[in-house]
Amino acid sequence: MRKDFFFGVDTSAYQVEGAWNEDGKGESIWDRFCHDARDNKVYRNENADVACDQYHRYKEDIEHMGTIGVNAHRFSVSWARVIPSGTGKVNEAGLRYYHNFIDELIKQGIEPFLTMYHWDLPQALQDRGGWANPDMVGWWLEYATVLFREFGSKVKYWISYNEPCVFIMGGYGNIGFPPCMRNYKTALAAGHIAMKAHFESVKLLHKMVPGAKMGIALDMVPRVPATDKQEDIDIVPLANDTAFYWFYNVMAKGEYPERAVKEYEKRGYMFEITDYDRALFKNNPCDFIGINYYSTAAVSYNPEPVTDGFLHYNIVPRAEKLGGMEVDPDGLRNIIRKAAADTEGKIPIIVTENGCGSDCECLDENGELHDDYRIKYLQLHSQAVKDCVDEGIDVRGYFVWSYWDLFEWALGSSWRFGLIYVDYETQKRTPKDSWYWYKQYIKDNKVE
Ligand code: BGC
């Protein structure tokens, strides 16, 4: 592997930190959503008030991370810990926590990859409309200014958002994640506000922290035809453009995919794109393309829209699985190749997430966890990345989701993705077999 390759692991603030209201932290939309959840809208009505208790255990946790040999860790900052009401007063204790956290990473020789937003919007901003309010651009830049000023001397790699399709389409469109708006037109407009905020913050970062790099961790679930029927094949391009390629295209080519724009225009969903916006997107390319990849999704044509928005297809479950996950490493190969082609090889690519979840994992009688399915899954996907590097594509990193088991959003503690098992009662951490596998993999592939 190339010398500057990042072998990383991931987490996000809400999923690991706990301490949901300690030391001045404000409430986030996920705090509110889980606290209000009834009837198993969140698994067993759980919440991440404690999660992995990382707020109190970060030092031992990062020290332990030092022993696996990773040279990068992607984590996120909780906006509401840093600015409890989203705008205005800054919480010094929150800043101190992230300074300590980052310092600990650096001490272990681990490059911090800082995600600024992994879905946990301050509730106070949601009360003012959240991403659907055009003022979000200004609120975002205020938050960005604080982060760049505080951490710019320590953090070189920045990720503005984790998975815009999830928090925008999922939160404002058709999935039912907070704020559960369920209005596709609003979702598309909110997505445009988020894109504007992203590009303005790229400009700001380059001004405030010369040499720093910013991208987005894009959720990529490429659609593939479920059968070889012509109608299934024909639906794929539009199915992709109206879903995960919607934001990807903006990152890779500086514009929304034309086919989807036309479709949305027909349905009266489109929002205004000004000349200023067009120039902003075109003239400020991101510094890297982040790809979060788990699998492709097989689609079959449905003449009726399945939900609000454009969804003339059903997702068809496939048989082959490892753990609880469908497996298609070729999908990762293809999406990396596509990103390289779309950007004419000019923008580096980082696989910012890849991992294998399971909904039935526990320690055996010897206190061990033999997750050979996860090892197999990671072998297949890391090989796909390696193949792309060998083809000469500029891929700079591979991050495993997740380092520890953590709070899996609406699925709560029922799904586990970690290389390390966490007993949420005792907070005891136990490396799984996959932890030892990844440690060896890094040793064999890292060029010192
Ligand atoms: C998200 C993570 C999540 C993981 C597994 C990703 O899409 O970024 O927060 O835990 O998938 O579902």
Side-chain angles (χ1 to χ4, degrees):
M1 215 58 110
R2 46 190 295 169
K3 205 167 182 301
D4 57 359
F5 194 84
F6 289 113
F7 296 87
V9 281
D10 298 289
T11 62
S12 87
Y14 183 69
Q15 296 180 274
V16 293
E17 282 179 4
W20 79 278
N21 61 354
E22 267 180 61
D23 292 344
K25 178 181 166 294
E27 186 189 22
S28 80
I29 55 174
W30 271 92
D31 293 322
R32 174 74 63 94
F33 180 71
C34 291
H35 290 155
D36 285 356
R38 300 284 176 275
D39 308 326
N40 293 319
K41 198 160 65 169
V42 174
Y43 175 71
R44 292 189 180 154
N45 302 323
E46 290 175 342
N47 57 57
D49 289 2
V50 177
C52 303
D53 195 29
Q54 191 157 90
Y55 189 72
H56 300 111
R57 292 165 197 261
Y58 73 91
K59 208 162 182 313
E60 305 93 272
D61 274 351
I62 304 297
E63 252 166 41
H64 186 264
M65 191 183 278
T67 66
I68 196 174
V70 291
N71 54 7
H73 175 42
R74 185 171 82 98
F75 63 100
S76 79
V77 167
S78 154
W79 187 339
R81 202 180 283 294
V82 168
I83 310 180
S85 303
T87 60
K89 198 168 169 333
V90 171
N91 179 27
E92 291 304 326
L95 290 178
R96 205 172 326 115
Y97 171 69
Y98 292 113
H99 270 299
N100 292 340
F101 186 93
I102 293 166
D103 290 348
E104 203 53 48
L105 286 175
I106 293 171
K107 200 159 107 197
Q108 296 298 331
I110 300 172
E111 184 82 41
F113 273 65
L114 190 157
T115 306
M116 296 164 67
Y117 183 72
H118 200 123
W119 310 351
D120 47 352
L121 192 73
Q123 181 63 44
L125 294 184
Q126 193 59 56
D127 294 343
R128 296 158 82 178
W131 291 101
N133 185 336
D135 288 344
M136 267 301 290
V137 178
W139 300 334
W140 174 257
L141 291 177
E142 183 186 329
Y143 170 53
T145 304
V146 173
L147 296 188
F148 300 162
R149 191 183 59 220
E150 285 291 327
F151 306 121
S153 62
K154 302 176 179 178
V155 176
K156 184 168 177 205
Y157 293 92
W158 298 77
I159 286 145
S160 56
Y161 310 136
N162 183 69
E163 304 192 341
C165 259
V166 174
F167 74 85
I168 292 292
M169 306 310 188
Y172 297 78
N174 47 23
I175 298 182
F177 267 13
C180 312
M181 289 260 182
R182 294 193 182 277
N183 183 318
Y184 210 79
K185 191 172 172 170
T186 308
L188 288 173
H192 190 56
I193 293 167
M195 288 298 104
K196 288 202 281 192
H198 164 79
F199 283 102
E200 294 290 5
S201 62
V202 172
K203 278 204 297 188
L204 183 69
L205 178 69
H206 290 162
K207 202 162 88 197
M208 287 181 68
V209 192
K213 313 263 179 225
M214 191 189 283
I216 293 186
L218 295 158
D219 34 338
M220 301 302 288
V221 190
R223 274 61 170 123
V224 293
T227 70
D228 51 13
K229 277 198 231 145
Q230 197 57 42
E231 57 185 23
D232 288 351
I233 295 170
D234 288 347
I235 198 66
V236 164
L238 197 50
N240 274 321
D241 286 353
T242 50
F244 299 93
Y245 291 177
W246 182 250
F247 295 121
Y248 159 80
N249 223 74
V250 178
M251 290 304 115
K253 301 184 187 171
E255 60 193 13
Y256 295 106
E258 209 183 311
R259 196 172 9 226
V261 169
K262 284 204 179 112
E263 189 63 34
Y264 287 146
E265 265 165 0
K266 258 200 300 196
R267 287 157 198 267
Y269 286 158
M270 270 313 278
F271 44 84
E272 191 198 355
I273 309 175
T274 64
D275 289 345
Y276 176 85
D277 301 342
R278 277 182 227 282
L280 180 70
F281 293 6
K282 275 276 183 212
N283 300 336
N284 295 282
C286 51
D287 298 314
F288 57 89
I289 303 262
I291 295 178
N292 289 3
Y293 179 86
Y294 290 86
S295 182
T296 48
V299 294
S300 75
Y301 176 67
N302 185 330
E304 296 303 320
V306 176
T307 66
D308 187 17
F310 175 84
L311 288 172
H312 280 270
Y313 57 83
N314 294 95
I315 303 229
V316 183
R318 286 171 297 191
E320 206 199 324
K321 283 191 176 172
L322 283 170
M325 315 282 290
E326 293 192 354
V327 191
D328 185 1
D330 279 340
L332 180 55
R333 258 183 214 95
N334 293 337
I335 196 68
I336 293 174
R337 288 177 184 143
K338 175 178 163 56
D342 285 345
T343 57
E344 295 165 356
K346 288 188 190 132
I347 305 185
I349 296 162
I350 299 179
V351 178
T352 33
E353 264 184 43
N354 175 243
C356 178
S358 165
D359 61 354
C360 56
E361 277 193 339
C362 51
L363 300 180
D364 67 11
E365 63 280 7
N366 301 317
E368 294 170 354
L369 206 154
H370 306 298
D371 53 346
D372 35 321
Y373 41 89
R374 182 170 289 111
I375 294 175
K376 177 94 187 130
Y377 180 100
L378 296 175
Q379 273 170 337
L380 290 169
H381 291 83
S382 55
Q383 184 60 44
V385 172
K386 218 165 165 191
D387 291 346
C388 292
V389 173
D390 291 345
E391 282 168 25
I393 298 178
D394 189 0
V395 190
R396 301 273 174 94
Y398 174 72
F399 285 67
V400 173
W401 184 275
S402 51
Y403 193 59
W404 299 274
D405 286 338
L406 36 69
F407 186 81
E408 184 48 41
W409 307 109
L411 298 172
S413 65
S414 66
W415 271 70
R416 294 173 178 268
F417 280 80
L419 299 175
I420 295 180
Y421 182 87
V422 176
D423 178 329
Y424 295 111
E425 293 293 316
T426 61
Q427 291 297 340
K428 185 169 184 297
R429 277 84 160 124
T430 306
K432 304 176 189 176
D433 284 1
S434 54
W435 186 90
Y436 295 97
W437 173 82
Y438 195 40
K439 182 179 171 138
Q440 189 60 40
Y441 178 83
I442 297 170
K443 203 160 158 216
D444 294 344
N445 289 282
K446 191 151 93 180
V447 178
E448 297 292 350

Short mmCIF file of all heavy atoms in Angstrom, two decimals, residues 15 118-119 162-163 292 294 353 401 406 408-409 417, ligand 1:
data_model
loop_
_atom_site.label_atom_id
_atom_site.label_comp_id
_atom_site.label_asym_id
_atom_site.label_seq_id
_atom_site.Cartn_x
_atom_site.Cartn_y
_atom_site.Cartn_z
N GLN A 15 -23.20 8.36 19.07
CA GLN A 15 -23.19 6.91 19.21
C GLN A 15 -22.25 6.38 20.29
O GLN A 15 -22.42 5.26 20.74
CB GLN A 15 -22.85 6.27 17.85
CG GLN A 15 -23.90 6.56 16.79
CD GLN A 15 -23.57 5.94 15.45
OE1 GLN A 15 -22.85 6.53 14.66
NE2 GLN A 15 -24.06 4.75 15.18
N HIS A 118 -22.50 14.69 12.45
CA HIS A 118 -22.95 13.31 12.22
C HIS A 118 -24.37 13.21 12.80
O HIS A 118 -24.60 12.48 13.77
CB HIS A 118 -21.98 12.32 12.87
CG HIS A 118 -22.04 10.93 12.33
ND1 HIS A 118 -20.96 10.27 11.79
CD2 HIS A 118 -23.06 10.04 12.26
CE1 HIS A 118 -21.31 9.04 11.42
NE2 HIS A 118 -22.59 8.88 11.70
N TRP A 119 -25.26 14.05 12.28
CA TRP A 119 -26.72 13.96 12.46
C TRP A 119 -27.30 14.55 13.73
O TRP A 119 -28.53 14.65 13.86
CB TRP A 119 -27.20 12.51 12.36
CG TRP A 119 -26.72 11.75 11.17
CD1 TRP A 119 -26.05 12.24 10.09
CD2 TRP A 119 -26.87 10.34 10.93
NE1 TRP A 119 -25.79 11.24 9.20
CE2 TRP A 119 -26.27 10.06 9.69
CE3 TRP A 119 -27.45 9.31 11.64
CZ2 TRP A 119 -26.22 8.79 9.14
CZ3 TRP A 119 -27.41 8.03 11.10
CH2 TRP A 119 -26.80 7.77 9.86
N ASN A 162 -21.56 13.80 7.72
CA ASN A 162 -21.68 12.37 7.47
C ASN A 162 -23.01 12.11 6.78
O ASN A 162 -24.08 12.44 7.31
CB ASN A 162 -21.63 11.58 8.78
CG ASN A 162 -21.68 10.09 8.51
OD1 ASN A 162 -20.73 9.53 7.98
ND2 ASN A 162 -22.80 9.46 8.82
N GLU A 163 -22.95 11.56 5.59
CA GLU A 163 -24.12 11.02 4.89
C GLU A 163 -25.30 11.98 4.77
O GLU A 163 -26.33 11.80 5.43
CB GLU A 163 -24.55 9.71 5.55
CG GLU A 163 -23.42 8.70 5.60
CD GLU A 163 -23.86 7.30 5.99
OE1 GLU A 163 -24.94 7.15 6.55
OE2 GLU A 163 -23.10 6.36 5.72
N ASN A 292 -18.74 6.26 2.01
CA ASN A 292 -19.19 5.28 3.00
C ASN A 292 -19.88 4.17 2.22
O ASN A 292 -20.87 4.44 1.53
CB ASN A 292 -20.21 5.88 3.97
CG ASN A 292 -19.59 6.88 4.94
OD1 ASN A 292 -18.40 7.18 4.85
ND2 ASN A 292 -20.40 7.39 5.84
N TYR A 294 -21.33 0.10 2.20
CA TYR A 294 -21.65 -1.19 2.87
C TYR A 294 -22.05 -2.25 1.85
O TYR A 294 -21.59 -3.37 1.90
CB TYR A 294 -22.74 -0.98 3.92
CG TYR A 294 -22.23 -0.19 5.11
CD1 TYR A 294 -22.22 1.21 5.11
CD2 TYR A 294 -21.68 -0.83 6.20
CE1 TYR A 294 -21.70 1.93 6.17
CE2 TYR A 294 -21.15 -0.13 7.28
CZ TYR A 294 -21.17 1.25 7.25
OH TYR A 294 -20.63 1.96 8.30
N GLU A 353 -16.00 4.87 5.43
CA GLU A 353 -16.71 3.87 6.25
C GLU A 353 -16.90 2.60 5.46
O GLU A 353 -17.28 2.64 4.29
CB GLU A 353 -18.12 4.34 6.61
CG GLU A 353 -18.27 5.00 7.95
CD GLU A 353 -19.73 5.35 8.28
OE1 GLU A 353 -20.63 4.53 8.03
OE2 GLU A 353 -19.93 6.46 8.80
N TRP A 401 -15.82 0.89 10.04
CA TRP A 401 -16.92 1.22 10.95
C TRP A 401 -17.30 -0.05 11.67
O TRP A 401 -17.71 -0.99 11.01
CB TRP A 401 -18.13 1.78 10.18
CG TRP A 401 -19.19 2.19 11.15
CD1 TRP A 401 -20.15 1.39 11.72
CD2 TRP A 401 -19.36 3.49 11.71
NE1 TRP A 401 -20.90 2.13 12.60
CE2 TRP A 401 -20.43 3.41 12.62
CE3 TRP A 401 -18.70 4.72 11.55
CZ2 TRP A 401 -20.87 4.50 13.36
CZ3 TRP A 401 -19.14 5.80 12.29
CH2 TRP A 401 -20.22 5.69 13.17
N LEU A 406 -21.43 0.35 19.25
CA LEU A 406 -21.95 1.65 19.66
C LEU A 406 -23.45 1.71 19.41
O LEU A 406 -24.04 0.78 18.86
CB LEU A 406 -21.20 2.78 18.93
CG LEU A 406 -20.78 2.55 17.47
CD1 LEU A 406 -21.96 2.50 16.56
CD2 LEU A 406 -19.80 3.60 17.03
N GLU A 408 -26.67 2.11 17.78
CA GLU A 408 -26.95 2.06 16.33
C GLU A 408 -28.27 2.79 16.01
O GLU A 408 -29.22 2.19 15.50
CB GLU A 408 -26.94 0.59 15.89
CG GLU A 408 -27.12 0.34 14.40
CD GLU A 408 -26.24 1.18 13.48
OE1 GLU A 408 -25.06 1.37 13.79
OE2 GLU A 408 -26.76 1.67 12.47
N TRP A 409 -28.33 4.08 16.34
CA TRP A 409 -29.48 4.91 15.99
C TRP A 409 -30.79 4.23 16.39
O TRP A 409 -30.89 3.72 17.51
CB TRP A 409 -29.42 5.30 14.50
CG TRP A 409 -28.10 5.92 14.15
CD1 TRP A 409 -27.11 5.37 13.39
CD2 TRP A 409 -27.57 7.19 14.60
NE1 TRP A 409 -26.03 6.21 13.32
CE2 TRP A 409 -26.28 7.33 14.04
CE3 TRP A 409 -28.06 8.23 15.40
CZ2 TRP A 409 -25.48 8.45 14.27
CZ3 TRP A 409 -27.27 9.34 15.62
CH2 TRP A 409 -26.00 9.44 15.06
N PHE A 417 -21.50 -3.32 15.30
CA PHE A 417 -20.57 -3.23 14.16
C PHE A 417 -19.10 -3.26 14.61
O PHE A 417 -18.20 -3.27 13.79
CB PHE A 417 -20.78 -1.90 13.42
CG PHE A 417 -21.95 -1.90 12.47
CD1 PHE A 417 -23.25 -1.72 12.94
CD2 PHE A 417 -21.76 -2.06 11.11
CE1 PHE A 417 -24.33 -1.71 12.06
CE2 PHE A 417 -22.83 -2.04 10.22
CZ PHE A 417 -24.12 -1.88 10.70
C1 BGC B 1 -23.55 5.66 9.60
C2 BGC B 1 -23.25 5.17 10.99
C3 BGC B 1 -23.99 3.87 11.25
C4 BGC B 1 -23.53 2.86 10.23
C5 BGC B 1 -24.11 1.48 10.40
C6 BGC B 1 -23.50 4.57 8.56
O1 BGC B 1 -24.37 4.83 7.54
O2 BGC B 1 -22.68 6.71 9.27
O3 BGC B 1 -23.57 6.17 11.91
O4 BGC B 1 -23.80 3.41 12.56
O5 BGC B 1 -23.90 3.31 8.95
O6 BGC B 1 -25.47 1.46 10.18
#
